[in-house]
Amino acid sequence: MLIRQLFDKNSCTFTYLIGSKDKNSIIIDPVLNNVDVYLTLINQLNLNLVYSLETHTHADHISGSGELRNILNCDSIVGNESGIECASKFIEDNEYLTIDDINIRVLYTPGHTNDSYCFLVDSIKPGALFTGDTLLIRGTGRTDFQSGDPSKLYDSITNKIFTLYDDIEIYPGHDYNGFSKSTIKEEKNHNPRLNLKSKKEFIDLMNNLDLPDPEMMDIAIPLNENCGLEK
Ligand code: FE2
């Protein structure tokens, strides 16, 4: 099994390509602007793309899922809660997606958005958790739009992600500080947002971040609700 991490410089988004021993593959959170890069890599590695998976409906970049589906005939997959009618398939909590030797456990982790999911590849040791914007390295996703909810985010991280094995590797949906991956243990010990005294403190912090809206938000959300394609 192979994992490739690709970075979109404009939105600081990570996209992941996971390939099986039999050359089938899954892409997580593709960015429309980089579809040519993915196509080249998929071709160079001699892979067949089976699924394009979204961790959530993104506000800061346009998804490449619809374009990849048009070109490679893969299935685009989103969470049940997203309401994205153009998707090929919907997933829900605790479902498994399996391709050859790749086993992905789907975890519903609302909070950053109401349609946020994490994907746990548990067919390798120590396990790889693709956290989208639910849990970032030394940070978390924001909770101030798209039905974001700091209370739900806290519960998703502490009751779901932090109950998994400590040595599982975390592959986040973004990074703004030069990190690429972490582990559950590392984030339990060193994530400043999660080392607060109480859930209330976390909620207060998240409700007072006072961040500007993402530049692409008004364009990206409606397009992503249509698989990243113009209507
Ligand atoms: Fe996001």
Side-chain angles (χ1 to χ4, degrees):
M1 206 194 91
L2 66 85
I3 298 175
R4 293 288 181 273
Q5 183 181 51
L6 299 120
F7 187 63
D8 177 61
K9 278 185 263 177
N10 295 325
S11 61
C12 296
T13 299
F14 283 128
T15 297
Y16 298 95
L17 182 67
I18 308 171
S20 79
K21 67 172 175 23
D22 294 327
K23 298 285 182 188
N24 289 304
S25 63
I26 296 165
I27 198 164
I28 298 176
D29 289 340
V31 176
L32 181 62
N33 282 343
N34 304 333
V35 162
D36 285 349
V37 175
Y38 312 144
L39 292 173
T40 300
L41 183 60
I42 287 166
N43 191 33
Q44 287 171 345
L45 297 177
N46 199 21
L47 294 171
N48 169 46
L49 187 67
V50 180
Y51 294 141
S52 180
L53 267 175
E54 299 286 356
T55 54
H56 63 293
T57 306
H58 305 281
D60 58 357
H61 68 265
I62 300 168
S63 166
S65 274
E67 182 79 354
L68 284 168
R69 183 175 61 180
N70 285 347
I71 297 170
L72 297 177
N73 208 20
C74 60
D75 282 344
S76 66
I77 304 184
V78 295
N80 252 341
E81 295 74 9
S82 70
I84 296 177
E85 290 174 9
C86 57
S88 318
K89 182 175 157 60
F90 297 89
I91 41 171
E92 60 184 23
D93 194 30
N94 262 322
E95 194 173 319
Y96 271 91
L97 292 168
T98 302
I99 294 178
D100 307 326
D101 57 333
I102 306 170
N103 227 10
I104 299 181
R105 187 174 145 205
V106 172
L107 301 172
Y108 179 48
T109 52
H112 168 61
T113 63
N114 194 43
D115 66 349
S116 286
Y117 279 79
C118 294
F119 303 117
L120 175 63
V121 177
D122 60 8
S123 45
I124 49 166
K125 298 287 172 215
L129 183 66
F130 298 86
T131 54
D133 296 1
T134 299
L135 180 61
L136 305 177
I137 299 174
R138 311 298 191 261
T140 68
R142 60 198 289 177
T143 54
D144 53 338
F145 51 73
Q146 289 178 288
S147 307
D149 182 328
S151 173
K152 286 184 185 171
L153 182 61
Y154 186 88
D155 290 344
S156 290
I157 295 172
T158 58
N159 297 339
K160 248 179 179 167
I161 295 176
F162 282 180
T163 60
L164 301 170
Y165 291 117
D166 273 351
D167 53 356
I168 288 173
E169 293 184 324
I170 287 176
Y171 292 88
H174 290 285
D175 191 79
Y176 308 95
N177 302 305
F179 294 111
S180 57
K181 68 176 182 178
S182 181
T183 66
I184 288 181
K185 186 175 183 180
E186 229 180 282
E187 294 312 307
K188 272 184 186 169
N189 290 338
H190 302 295
N191 191 312
R193 288 197 185 167
L194 300 160
N195 281 330
L196 303 171
K197 286 193 201 79
S198 64
K199 180 174 176 179
K200 185 184 173 306
E201 261 190 55
F202 177 82
I203 293 169
D204 287 346
L205 175 99
M206 295 305 291
N207 283 338
N208 290 290
L209 289 178
D210 212 17
L211 298 166
D213 284 345
E215 275 173 37
M216 292 282 291
M217 188 172 171
D218 293 340
I219 300 165
I221 293 176
L223 280 173
N224 290 338
E225 286 169 348
N226 195 44
C227 297
L229 299 170
E230 302 276 355
K231 287 192 183 174

Coordinates of all heavy atoms in Angstrom, one line a residue, residues 102-177:
I102 N -6.7 -2.3 1.1 CA -6.9 -1.1 1.8 C -8.3 -1.2 2.5 O -9.3 -1.4 1.8 CB -7.0 0.1 0.8 CG1 -5.7 0.2 0.0 CG2 -7.2 1.4 1.6 CD1 -5.8 1.3 -1.1
N103 N -8.3 -1.0 3.8 CA -9.5 -1.1 4.6 C -9.7 0.3 5.2 O -8.9 0.7 6.0 CB -9.3 -2.1 5.7 CG -10.5 -3.0 5.8 OD1 -11.4 -3.0 4.9 ND2 -10.6 -3.8 6.8
I104 N -10.8 1.0 4.9 CA -11.0 2.3 5.4 C -12.2 2.3 6.3 O -13.3 2.1 5.8 CB -11.1 3.4 4.3 CG1 -9.8 3.5 3.5 CG2 -11.4 4.8 4.9 CD1 -9.9 4.5 2.4
R105 N -12.0 2.7 7.6 CA -13.2 2.8 8.5 C -13.6 4.3 8.5 O -12.8 5.2 8.7 CB -12.8 2.4 9.9 CG -14.0 2.3 10.9 CD -13.5 1.7 12.2 NE -14.2 2.4 13.3 CZ -13.7 2.4 14.5 NH1 -12.5 1.9 14.8 NH2 -14.4 3.0 15.5
V106 N -14.9 4.5 8.2 CA -15.4 5.8 8.1 C -15.9 6.3 9.5 O -16.7 5.6 10.2 CB -16.6 5.8 7.1 CG1 -17.3 7.1 7.1 CG2 -16.2 5.4 5.7
L107 N -15.4 7.5 9.9 CA -15.8 8.0 11.3 C -16.5 9.3 11.1 O -15.9 10.3 10.5 CB -14.6 8.2 12.1 CG -13.7 7.0 12.4 CD1 -12.4 7.4 13.2 CD2 -14.5 6.0 13.3
Y108 N -17.7 9.5 11.5 CA -18.4 10.7 11.5 C -17.9 11.6 12.6 O -18.0 11.2 13.8 CB -19.9 10.5 11.6 CG -20.8 11.7 11.5 CD1 -20.6 12.7 10.6 CD2 -21.8 11.9 12.5 CE1 -21.3 13.9 10.6 CE2 -22.6 13.1 12.4 CZ -22.4 14.0 11.5 OH -23.1 15.2 11.5
T109 N -17.4 12.8 12.2 CA -16.8 13.7 13.3 C -17.2 15.1 13.0 O -16.5 16.0 12.6 CB -15.2 13.6 13.2 OG1 -14.8 13.8 11.8 CG2 -14.7 12.2 13.6
P110 N -18.5 15.4 13.3 CA -19.0 16.7 13.1 C -18.4 17.7 14.0 O -17.8 17.4 15.1 CB -20.5 16.6 13.4 CG -20.6 15.5 14.4 CD -19.5 14.5 14.0
G111 N -18.5 19.0 13.7 CA -17.9 20.1 14.5 C -17.3 21.2 13.7 O -17.8 22.3 13.8
H112 N -16.3 20.9 12.8 CA -15.8 21.9 11.9 C -17.0 22.2 10.9 O -17.3 23.4 10.7 CB -14.6 21.3 11.1 CG -14.2 22.1 10.0 ND1 -13.8 23.4 10.1 CD2 -14.1 21.8 8.6 CE1 -13.5 23.9 8.9 NE2 -13.7 22.9 8.0
T113 N -17.6 21.2 10.4 CA -18.9 21.3 9.6 C -19.8 20.2 10.1 O -19.3 19.3 10.7 CB -18.7 21.2 8.1 OG1 -18.2 19.9 7.8 CG2 -17.7 22.2 7.6
N114 N -21.0 20.3 9.7 CA -21.9 19.2 10.1 C -21.7 17.9 9.2 O -22.3 16.9 9.5 CB -23.4 19.6 10.0 CG -24.3 18.7 10.7 OD1 -24.0 18.2 11.8 ND2 -25.4 18.4 10.0
D115 N -20.9 18.0 8.1 CA -20.7 16.9 7.3 C -19.3 16.4 7.3 O -18.8 15.9 6.3 CB -21.2 17.2 5.8 CG -20.4 18.2 5.1 OD1 -19.5 18.9 5.8 OD2 -20.5 18.4 3.9
S116 N -18.6 16.6 8.4 CA -17.2 16.3 8.5 C -16.9 14.8 8.9 O -17.6 14.3 9.8 CB -16.5 17.1 9.6 OG -16.3 18.5 9.1
Y117 N -16.0 14.2 8.1 CA -15.7 12.8 8.4 C -14.2 12.6 8.5 O -13.4 13.4 7.9 CB -16.2 11.9 7.2 CG -17.6 11.6 7.3 CD1 -18.6 12.5 7.0 CD2 -18.0 10.3 7.8 CE1 -20.0 12.2 7.1 CE2 -19.4 10.0 7.9 CZ -20.3 10.9 7.6 OH -21.7 10.6 7.7
C118 N -13.7 11.6 9.2 CA -12.3 11.2 9.2 C -12.3 9.8 8.7 O -13.3 9.0 8.8 CB -11.8 11.1 10.7 SG -11.6 12.8 11.4
F119 N -11.2 9.4 8.1 CA -11.1 8.1 7.4 C -9.9 7.4 8.0 O -8.7 7.9 7.9 CB -10.9 8.3 5.9 CG -12.0 9.0 5.3 CD1 -11.8 10.2 4.6 CD2 -13.3 8.5 5.3 CE1 -12.8 11.0 4.0 CE2 -14.3 9.2 4.7 CZ -14.1 10.5 4.1
L120 N -10.1 6.3 8.6 CA -9.1 5.5 9.3 C -8.7 4.3 8.5 O -9.5 3.4 8.3 CB -9.5 5.0 10.7 CG -8.6 4.1 11.4 CD1 -7.3 4.8 11.8 CD2 -9.2 3.6 12.7
V121 N -7.5 4.3 7.9 CA -6.9 3.1 7.2 C -6.4 2.2 8.3 O -5.3 2.5 8.9 CB -5.9 3.5 6.2 CG1 -5.3 2.3 5.5 CG2 -6.5 4.4 5.1
D122 N -7.1 1.1 8.6 CA -6.7 0.3 9.7 C -6.1 -1.0 9.2 O -5.9 -2.0 10.0 CB -7.8 0.1 10.7 CG -9.0 -0.6 10.1 OD1 -9.0 -1.0 9.0 OD2 -10.1 -0.7 10.8
S123 N -5.8 -1.1 7.9 CA -5.2 -2.3 7.4 C -3.7 -2.2 7.3 O -3.1 -3.1 6.8 CB -5.8 -2.6 6.0 OG -5.8 -1.4 5.2
I124 N -3.2 -1.1 7.8 CA -1.7 -1.1 8.0 C -1.4 -0.7 9.4 O -2.2 -0.2 10.2 CB -1.1 0.1 7.1 CG1 -1.8 1.4 7.3 CG2 -1.0 -0.4 5.6 CD1 -1.1 2.6 6.7
K125 N -0.2 -1.0 9.8 CA 0.3 -0.7 11.2 C 1.2 0.5 11.1 O 2.1 0.5 10.2 CB 1.0 -1.9 11.8 CG 0.1 -3.1 12.0 CD -0.9 -2.9 13.2 CE -1.9 -4.0 13.2 NZ -3.2 -3.7 13.6
P126 N 1.1 1.5 11.9 CA 0.2 1.7 13.1 C -1.2 2.2 12.7 O -1.9 2.5 13.7 CB 1.0 2.7 13.9 CG 1.7 3.5 12.9 CD 2.0 2.7 11.8
G127 N -1.6 2.3 11.5 CA -2.8 2.9 11.1 C -2.7 4.4 10.7 O -1.8 5.1 11.3
A128 N -3.4 4.8 9.7 CA -3.4 6.2 9.2 C -4.7 6.8 9.3 O -5.7 6.2 8.8 CB -2.9 6.2 7.8
L129 N -4.8 7.9 10.0 CA -6.1 8.6 10.1 C -6.1 9.9 9.3 O -5.3 10.8 9.6 CB -6.4 8.9 11.6 CG -7.7 9.6 11.9 CD1 -8.9 8.6 11.6 CD2 -7.8 10.0 13.4
F130 N -7.0 10.0 8.3 CA -7.1 11.2 7.5 C -8.2 12.1 8.2 O -9.3 11.7 8.2 CB -7.4 10.9 6.1 CG -6.3 10.0 5.5 CD1 -6.3 8.7 5.7 CD2 -5.2 10.6 4.8 CE1 -5.2 7.9 5.2 CE2 -4.2 9.9 4.3 CZ -4.2 8.5 4.5
T131 N -7.7 13.2 8.8 CA -8.6 13.9 9.7 C -9.4 15.1 9.1 O -10.1 15.8 9.8 CB -7.8 14.4 10.9 OG1 -6.7 15.2 10.5 CG2 -7.4 13.3 11.8
G132 N -9.1 15.4 7.8 CA -9.8 16.6 7.2 C -9.4 17.8 8.0 O -8.3 18.0 8.4
D133 N -10.5 18.6 8.3 CA -10.3 19.8 9.1 C -10.7 19.6 10.6 O -10.8 20.6 11.3 CB -11.0 21.0 8.5 CG -10.5 21.4 7.2 OD1 -9.5 20.7 6.7 OD2 -11.0 22.4 6.6
T134 N -11.1 18.4 10.9 CA -11.5 18.1 12.3 C -10.3 18.3 13.2 O -10.4 19.0 14.2 CB -12.1 16.7 12.4 OG1 -13.2 16.6 11.5 CG2 -12.5 16.3 13.8
L135 N -9.2 17.7 12.9 CA -8.0 17.8 13.8 C -6.8 18.1 12.9 O -6.5 17.4 12.0 CB -7.8 16.5 14.5 CG -6.6 16.5 15.5 CD1 -6.7 17.6 16.6 CD2 -6.4 15.1 16.1
L136 N -6.2 19.3 13.1 CA -5.0 19.7 12.4 C -3.8 19.4 13.3 O -3.9 19.1 14.5 CB -5.1 21.1 12.0 CG -6.3 21.5 11.2 CD1 -6.4 23.0 10.9 CD2 -6.4 20.7 9.9
I137 N -2.6 19.6 12.8 CA -1.4 19.4 13.6 C -1.2 20.7 14.5 O -1.1 21.8 14.0 CB -0.2 19.2 12.8 CG1 -0.4 17.9 11.9 CG2 1.1 19.1 13.6 CD1 0.7 17.6 10.9
R138 N -1.4 20.4 15.8 CA -1.3 21.5 16.8 C -2.4 22.5 16.7 O -2.3 23.7 17.1 CB 0.0 22.2 16.8 CG 1.3 21.3 16.8 CD 1.4 20.4 18.1 NE 2.7 19.8 18.1 CZ 2.9 18.6 17.7 NH1 1.9 17.8 17.3 NH2 4.1 18.1 17.8
G139 N -3.5 22.1 16.0 CA -4.7 23.0 15.9 C -5.9 22.2 15.5 O -5.9 21.0 15.6
T140 N -7.0 22.9 15.2 CA -8.2 22.3 14.8 C -8.8 23.1 13.7 O -8.4 24.3 13.5 CB -9.3 22.2 15.9 OG1 -9.7 23.6 16.2 CG2 -8.8 21.6 17.2
G141 N -9.8 22.6 13.0 CA -10.6 23.4 12.0 C -11.4 24.4 12.8 O -11.6 24.3 14.0
R142 N -11.8 25.4 12.1 CA -12.7 26.5 12.7 C -14.1 26.0 12.8 O -14.5 25.0 12.1 CB -12.5 27.8 11.9 CG -13.0 27.6 10.5 CD -12.4 28.7 9.6 NE -13.1 30.0 9.8 CZ -12.8 31.2 9.2 NH1 -11.8 31.2 8.3 NH2 -13.4 32.3 9.5
T143 N -14.9 26.7 13.5 CA -16.3 26.2 13.7 C -17.3 27.3 13.5 O -18.4 27.3 14.1 CB -16.5 25.7 15.2 OG1 -16.0 26.7 16.1 CG2 -15.6 24.4 15.4
D144 N -16.9 28.4 12.8 CA -17.8 29.6 12.7 C -18.6 29.7 11.5 O -19.2 30.7 11.2 CB -17.0 30.8 13.0 CG -15.8 30.9 12.0 OD1 -15.4 29.9 11.5 OD2 -15.3 32.1 11.8
F145 N -18.7 28.7 10.6 CA -19.7 28.7 9.5 C -20.0 27.2 9.1 O -19.4 26.3 9.7 CB -19.2 29.5 8.3 CG -17.8 29.2 7.9 CD1 -17.5 28.1 7.2 CD2 -16.8 30.1 8.1 CE1 -16.2 27.8 6.7 CE2 -15.5 29.9 7.7 CZ -15.2 28.7 7.0
Q146 N -20.9 27.1 8.1 CA -21.3 25.7 7.6 C -21.7 24.8 8.8 O -21.3 23.7 8.9 CB -20.1 25.0 6.9 CG -19.8 25.7 5.5 CD -18.6 25.0 4.9 OE1 -17.4 25.1 5.4 NE2 -18.8 24.2 3.9
S147 N -22.6 25.3 9.6 CA -23.1 24.6 10.8 C -22.0 24.1 11.7 O -22.1 23.0 12.3 CB -23.9 23.4 10.3 OG -24.9 23.8 9.4
G148 N -20.9 24.8 11.8 CA -19.8 24.5 12.7 C -20.3 24.6 14.1 O -21.2 25.4 14.4
D149 N -19.7 23.7 15.0 CA -20.2 23.7 16.4 C -19.0 23.2 17.3 O -18.6 22.1 17.2 CB -21.4 22.7 16.5 CG -22.0 22.6 17.9 OD1 -21.2 22.8 18.8 OD2 -23.2 22.3 18.0
P150 N -18.5 24.2 18.1 CA -17.3 23.8 18.9 C -17.6 22.7 19.9 O -16.7 21.9 20.2 CB -17.0 25.1 19.6 CG -18.1 26.0 19.5 CD -18.9 25.6 18.3
S151 N -18.8 22.6 20.4 CA -19.1 21.5 21.4 C -19.0 20.2 20.7 O -18.4 19.2 21.2 CB -20.5 21.7 21.9 OG -20.9 20.6 22.7
K152 N -19.6 20.1 19.4 CA -19.5 18.8 18.7 C -18.1 18.5 18.3 O -17.7 17.4 18.3 CB -20.4 18.9 17.4 CG -21.9 18.8 17.7 CD -22.7 18.8 16.4 CE -24.1 18.9 16.6 NZ -24.9 19.1 15.4
L153 N -17.3 19.6 17.9 CA -15.9 19.3 17.5 C -15.1 18.8 18.7 O -14.4 17.8 18.5 CB -15.3 20.6 17.0 CG -13.8 20.5 16.5 CD1 -13.7 19.6 15.4 CD2 -13.2 21.9 16.2
Y154 N -15.3 19.3 19.9 CA -14.6 18.8 21.1 C -15.0 17.3 21.3 O -14.1 16.5 21.6 CB -15.0 19.7 22.3 CG -14.3 19.4 23.5 CD1 -13.1 20.0 23.8 CD2 -14.8 18.4 24.4 CE1 -12.4 19.7 25.0 CE2 -14.0 18.1 25.6 CZ -12.9 18.7 25.8 OH -12.1 18.5 27.0
D155 N -16.3 17.0 21.2 CA -16.7 15.6 21.4 C -16.1 14.7 20.3 O -15.7 13.6 20.6 CB -18.2 15.5 21.4 CG -18.8 16.2 22.7 OD1 -18.1 16.4 23.6 OD2 -20.0 16.5 22.7
S156 N -16.1 15.2 19.1 CA -15.6 14.3 18.0 C -14.1 14.0 18.2 O -13.7 12.9 18.0 CB -15.7 15.0 16.6 OG -17.1 15.1 16.2
I157 N -13.3 15.0 18.7 CA -11.9 14.8 18.9 C -11.7 14.0 20.2 O -10.9 13.0 20.1 CB -11.2 16.2 19.0 CG1 -11.2 16.9 17.6 CG2 -9.7 15.9 19.4 CD1 -10.7 18.3 17.7
T158 N -12.3 14.4 21.3 CA -11.9 13.7 22.5 C -12.6 12.3 22.7 O -12.0 11.4 23.2 CB -12.3 14.6 23.8 OG1 -13.7 14.9 23.7 CG2 -11.5 15.9 23.8
N159 N -13.9 12.2 22.2 CA -14.6 10.9 22.4 C -14.4 10.0 21.3 O -14.7 8.8 21.4 CB -16.1 11.2 22.5 CG -16.4 12.0 23.8 OD1 -15.6 12.1 24.7 ND2 -17.6 12.6 23.8
K160 N -13.9 10.5 20.1 CA -13.8 9.5 19.0 C -12.3 9.4 18.6 O -11.7 8.3 18.7 CB -14.6 10.1 17.8 CG -15.7 9.1 17.5 CD -16.6 9.6 16.3 CE -17.7 8.5 16.2 NZ -18.7 9.0 15.3
I161 N -11.7 10.5 18.2 CA -10.3 10.4 17.7 C -9.3 10.0 18.8 O -8.5 9.1 18.6 CB -9.8 11.7 17.0 CG1 -10.7 12.0 15.8 CG2 -8.4 11.7 16.7 CD1 -10.4 13.3 15.1
F162 N -9.5 10.6 19.9 CA -8.5 10.3 21.0 C -8.8 9.0 21.7 O -8.0 8.6 22.7 CB -8.5 11.5 22.0 CG -7.7 12.7 21.6 CD1 -7.6 13.8 22.3 CD2 -7.1 12.7 20.3 CE1 -6.9 14.9 21.9 CE2 -6.3 13.8 19.9 CZ -6.2 14.9 20.7
T163 N -9.8 8.3 21.3 CA -10.0 6.9 21.9 C -9.4 5.9 21.0 O -9.4 4.7 21.3 CB -11.5 6.6 22.1 OG1 -12.1 6.7 20.8 CG2 -12.2 7.6 23.0
L164 N -8.8 6.3 19.8 CA -8.1 5.4 19.0 C -6.7 5.1 19.5 O -6.2 5.9 20.4 CB -8.1 5.9 17.5 CG -9.4 6.2 16.9 CD1 -9.2 7.0 15.6 CD2 -10.2 4.9 16.6
Y165 N -6.0 4.2 18.9 CA -4.6 3.9 19.4 C -3.7 5.1 19.3 O -3.7 5.8 18.2 CB -4.0 2.7 18.6 CG -4.6 1.4 18.9 CD1 -5.3 0.7 17.9 CD2 -4.6 0.9 20.2 CE1 -5.9 -0.5 18.2 CE2 -5.2 -0.4 20.5 CZ -5.9 -1.0 19.5 OH -6.5 -2.2 19.7
D166 N -2.9 5.3 20.3 CA -2.0 6.5 20.4 C -1.0 6.6 19.2 O -0.6 7.7 18.8 CB -1.1 6.4 21.6 CG -1.8 7.1 22.8 OD1 -2.9 7.7 22.6 OD2 -1.3 6.9 23.9
D167 N -0.5 5.5 18.7 CA 0.5 5.6 17.6 C 0.0 5.7 16.2 O 0.7 5.7 15.3 CB 1.5 4.4 17.8 CG 0.8 3.0 17.8 OD1 -0.4 3.0 17.8 OD2 1.5 2.0 17.8
I168 N -1.4 5.7 16.1 CA -1.9 6.0 14.7 C -1.4 7.3 14.2 O -1.4 8.3 14.9 CB -3.5 5.9 14.8 CG1 -3.9 4.5 15.0 CG2 -4.1 6.5 13.5 CD1 -5.4 4.4 15.3
E169 N -1.0 7.3 12.9 CA -0.5 8.6 12.3 C -1.7 9.4 11.8 O -2.6 8.9 11.2 CB 0.5 8.2 11.2 CG 1.7 7.5 11.8 CD 2.8 7.3 10.7 OE1 2.4 6.9 9.6 OE2 4.0 7.4 11.1
I170 N -1.5 10.7 12.0 CA -2.5 11.7 11.6 C -2.1 12.4 10.4 O -1.0 13.0 10.3 CB -2.8 12.7 12.7 CG1 -3.6 12.0 13.8 CG2 -3.6 13.9 12.2 CD1 -3.9 12.8 15.1
Y171 N -2.9 12.4 9.3 CA -2.7 13.1 8.1 C -3.8 14.2 8.0 O -4.9 13.8 7.7 CB -2.7 12.2 6.9 CG -1.6 11.2 6.8 CD1 -1.7 9.9 7.5 CD2 -0.4 11.5 6.1 CE1 -0.6 9.0 7.4 CE2 0.6 10.6 6.0 CZ 0.5 9.3 6.7 OH 1.5 8.4 6.6
P172 N -3.5 15.4 8.2 CA -4.5 16.5 8.3 C -4.9 17.0 6.9 O -4.3 16.7 5.9 CB -3.8 17.6 9.0 CG -2.4 17.5 8.6 CD -2.1 16.0 8.5
G173 N -6.0 17.7 6.9 CA -6.6 18.3 5.7 C -5.9 19.6 5.2 O -6.0 20.0 4.1
H174 N -5.2 20.2 6.2 CA -4.5 21.5 5.9 C -3.3 21.5 6.8 O -3.2 20.9 7.9 CB -5.3 22.7 6.3 CG -6.5 23.0 5.4 ND1 -6.4 23.5 4.2 CD2 -7.8 22.8 5.7 CE1 -7.6 23.6 3.7 NE2 -8.5 23.2 4.6
D175 N -2.3 22.3 6.4 CA -1.3 22.8 7.4 C -0.8 24.2 6.9 O -0.5 24.4 5.8 CB -0.1 21.8 7.5 CG 0.7 22.2 8.7 OD1 0.3 21.9 9.8 OD2 1.7 22.9 8.5
Y176 N -0.7 25.0 7.9 CA -0.2 26.4 7.7 C 1.1 26.7 8.3 O 1.6 27.8 8.3 CB -1.3 27.4 8.3 CG -2.7 27.1 7.8 CD1 -3.5 26.3 8.6 CD2 -3.1 27.5 6.5 CE1 -4.8 26.0 8.1 CE2 -4.4 27.2 6.1 CZ -5.2 26.5 6.9 OH -6.5 26.2 6.5
N177 N 1.7 25.7 8.9 CA 2.9 25.9 9.7 C 4.1 25.0 9.4 O 5.1 24.9 10.1 CB 2.6 25.7 11.2 CG 1.5 26.6 11.7 OD1 1.6 27.8 11.5 ND2 0.4 26.0 12.2

